[in-house]
């Protein structure tokens, strides 16, 4: 029997959709997840709808209350603002790949494009978490997979055999002041000055005594590209580049419990010198690694800065940002 017979456990549904949060359309995927969980006997409020960039903060806030189940919908696709999987994965203590494998198997039986979605499932402390697509059909596929196994998962994680007492361990058991120090972008700079001198003190700016990890990405100009030797290189920035760099990095910082800084150089940059730097400080290394990589990837994809490189052969090429 799927319906839980004893005291109702609490569950939460969070929808990541910038358009739905702005009232441009009525989300139905979250409602489908809520209906499923209520049918399973959980106590579930209506789904919380947040912009894509705020999914990280919403998930962390929900996990702090240690619900039995947390389901998300939306943000599992391929576009730059699909951030849910990247946000949730570092919060999991144990992943359950069998759940996601069955989810994809079931989805493929309905539509071949199911393979283009992304998902993660697992345990964050005593909470079962799964990321579902932002469509009612995708949510129903996920719920069909969970229908038979969710009661067993909750029994194992919330029952007498659980090594963590009820409410004792959210995903990260940090003091409240830690969260107040994160989700911040300290600087995003586009400059023709050498980054070696500009970034020398940046680590001191993003770090505090509450931060236990600092991850830094250095994009260095190399002497080859596409199998050919590079003799010289210069970067050109669109007039909107500084604003776009700030936007991208602010969105990444808001989606993760990090303190972020980013720098990009323009003009001629000698081989071996820094062209692009990202620093991410966090209380935990997984958050810092994830935010740093996401910022670097999104800047490369979204910020209008290009490089002109002169090959040793004398040929000149224009290419995308150097990663």
């Amino acid at each position: 029997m799927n319906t839980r017979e004893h005291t109702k456990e609490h569950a939460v549904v969070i929808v990541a959709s910038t358009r739905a949060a702005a009232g441009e359309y009525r989300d139905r995927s979250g409602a489908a997840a809520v209906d499923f969980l209520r049918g399973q006997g959980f106590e579930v409020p209506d789904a919380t709808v947040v912009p894509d960039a705020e999914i990280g903060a919403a998930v962390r806030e929900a996990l702090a209350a240690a619900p039995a189940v947390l389901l998300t919908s939306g943000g599992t696709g391929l576009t730059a603002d699909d951030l849910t999987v990247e946000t949730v994965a570092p919060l999991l203590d144990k992943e359950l790949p069998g759940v996601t494998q069955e989810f994809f198997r079931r989805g493929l039986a309905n539509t071949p494009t199911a393979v283009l979605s992304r998902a993660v499932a697992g345990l964050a402390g005593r909470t079962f978490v799964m990321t579902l697509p932002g469509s009612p059909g995708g949510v129903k596929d996920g719920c069909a997979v969970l229908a038979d196994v969710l009661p067993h998962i909750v029994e194992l994680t919330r029952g007498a055999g659980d090594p963590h007492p009820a409410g004792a361990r959210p995903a990260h058991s940090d003091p409240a002041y830690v969260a107040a120090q994160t989700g911040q972008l300290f600087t995003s700079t586009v400059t023709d000055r050498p980054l070696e001198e500009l970034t020398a003190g940046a680590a001191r700016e993003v770090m505090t005594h509450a931060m236990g990890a600092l991850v830094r990405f250095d994009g260095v100009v190399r002497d080859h590209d596409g199998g050919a030797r590079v003799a010289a290189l210069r970067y050109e920035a669109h007039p909107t580049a500084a604003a776009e760099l700030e936007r991208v990095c602010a969105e990444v910082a808001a989606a993760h419990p990090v303190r972020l800084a980013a720098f990009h150089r323009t003009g001629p940059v000698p081989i071996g010198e820094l062209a692009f730097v990202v620093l991410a400080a966090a209380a935990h290394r997984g958050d810092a690694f994830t935010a740093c990589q996401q910022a670097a990837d999104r800047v490369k994809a979204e910020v209008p800065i290009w490089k002109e490189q002169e090959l040793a052969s004398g040929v000149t090429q224009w290419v995308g940002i150097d990663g």
Side-chain angles (χ1 to χ4, degrees):
M1 183 175 183
N2 289 335
T3 302
R4 299 179 61 79
E5 302 288 354
H6 306 294
T7 303
K8 286 188 175 182
E9 294 278 9
H10 185 61
V12 177
V13 175
I14 303 175
V15 177
S17 172
T18 301
R19 292 177 55 217
E24 295 180 15
Y25 76 94
R26 181 179 179 183
D27 171 76
R28 295 187 295 119
S29 63
V34 168
D35 288 345
F36 163 73
L37 290 169
R38 288 174 178 169
Q40 288 271 309
F42 292 95
E43 183 177 335
V44 194
D46 290 342
T48 298
V49 183
V50 299
D52 288 279
E54 297 178 15
I55 184 64
V59 168
R60 291 190 297 274
E61 181 179 355
L63 288 176
V69 179
L70 191 160
L71 300 182
T72 70
S73 76
T76 62
L78 304 179
T79 63
D81 59 352
D82 287 324
L83 307 172
T84 303
V85 174
E86 291 84 352
T87 297
V88 170
L91 303 178
L92 300 181
D93 300 303
K94 295 180 180 179
E95 289 195 26
L96 297 173
V99 174
T100 53
Q101 289 169 11
E102 177 60 16
F103 164 68
F104 286 120
R105 188 198 66 78
R106 186 178 293 266
L108 276 171
N110 296 325
T111 172
T113 58
V115 294
L116 300 181
S117 184
R118 298 176 300 133
V120 66
L123 301 178
R126 302 173 64 250
T127 301
F128 171 77
V129 184
M130 185 170 182
T131 61
L132 299 171
S135 66
V139 168
K140 289 177 181 178
D141 285 340
C143 292
V145 172
L146 296 178
D148 292 329
V149 299
L150 192 56
H152 185 56
I153 292 172
V154 172
E155 182 178 358
L156 289 175
T157 57
R158 314 292 280 197
D162 183 12
H164 304 293
R169 188 179 181 276
H172 290 315
S173 302
D174 296 325
Y177 69 83
V178 177
Q181 295 181 19
T182 60
Q184 301 178 39
L185 171 65
F186 283 84
T187 185
S188 61
T189 303
V190 176
T191 178
D192 60 4
R193 294 173 55 192
L195 298 187
E196 286 76 3
E197 60 184 68
L198 278 181
T199 60
R204 292 191 297 272
E205 183 177 17
V206 298
M207 286 295 287
T208 72
H209 289 168
M211 302 298 104
L214 176 65
V215 174
R216 172 172 171 146
F217 168 76
D218 284 352
V220 181
V221 176
R222 59 180 180 256
D223 67 357
H224 63 95
D225 189 39
R229 294 296 296 270
V230 174
L233 182 146
R234 67 189 306 272
Y235 286 93
E236 287 286 343
H238 189 272
T240 62
E244 286 299 289
L245 180 65
E246 180 179 9
R247 175 189 64 81
V248 167
C249 292
E251 289 178 359
V252 173
H256 301 278
V258 297
R259 298 160 65 86
L260 201 67
F263 306 81
H264 205 295
R265 187 171 171 182
T266 58
V269 184
I271 291 169
E273 293 192 9
L274 294 173
F276 177 36
V277 175
V278 177
L279 295 98
H284 305 276
R285 66 182 184 277
D287 297 321
F289 275 115
T290 299
C292 188
Q293 179 174 354
Q294 188 175 112
D297 290 345
R298 288 193 59 187
V299 168
K300 180 174 181 178
E302 300 177 44
V303 177
I305 300 177
W306 308 276
K307 66 179 179 182
E308 180 187 28
Q309 57 188 16
E310 180 183 338
L311 303 182
S313 64
V315 174
T316 299
Q317 297 178 332
W318 282 95
V319 295
I321 189 171
D322 191 8

